[in-house]
């Protein structure tokens, strides 16, 4: 967990409580030394107590609003968990 990322996430003005929760959970999972954050959709949805489609909708909205970048990963055509990068000022 990165204290700075959590503190940043707390003060962001998200469009919905669900988006805020997803942003906070991503900040909680961000490695403070590397900035890496790559929880699976299933893990993140479980931690946020929401369905996968709801989670994906919130992630997309957070990316569109400029709070995070989603980096899609794959190896030999096999999808891996996305990596998320918070856009901290």
């Amino acid at each position: 967990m990165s204290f700075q990322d959590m503190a940043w996430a707390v003060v962001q003005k998200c469009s919905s409580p669900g988006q805020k929760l997803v942003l906070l959970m991503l900040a909680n999972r961000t490695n403070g030394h590397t900035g890496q954050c790559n929880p699976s959709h299933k893990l993140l949805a479980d931690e946020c107590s929401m369905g996968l489609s709801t989670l994906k909708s919130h992630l997309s909205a957070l990316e569109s609003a400029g709070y995070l970048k989603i980096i899609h990963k794959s190896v030999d055509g096999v999808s891996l968990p996305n990596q998320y990068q918070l856009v901290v000022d």
Side-chain angles (χ1 to χ4, degrees), residues 1-2 6-9 14 17 26 30 33-34 38-39 43 45 51 54 60 63 65 73 79-81 83 86-87:
M1 173 178 74
S2 165
M6 285 295 292
W8 170 83
C14 297
L26 285 171
T30 299
H33 298 290
T34 66
N38 54 355
L43 176 66
T54 302
S60 178
E63 183 179 39
K73 298 275 190 173
S79 292
L80 300 174
Q83 184 172 340
L86 301 178
V87 181

Side-chain angles (χ1 to χ4, degrees), residues 35-71:
Q36 192 170 18
C37 178
N38 54 355
S40 69
H41 283 149
K42 181 179 179 347
L43 176 66
L44 200 52
D46 287 347
E47 289 181 344
C48 293
S49 299
M50 62 181 60
L52 288 173
S53 62
T54 302
L55 172 73
K56 290 177 184 180
S57 175
H58 288 319
L59 288 169
S60 178
L62 288 167
E63 183 179 39
S64 293
Y67 292 113
L68 62 93
K69 292 180 185 176
I70 300 173
I71 303 161

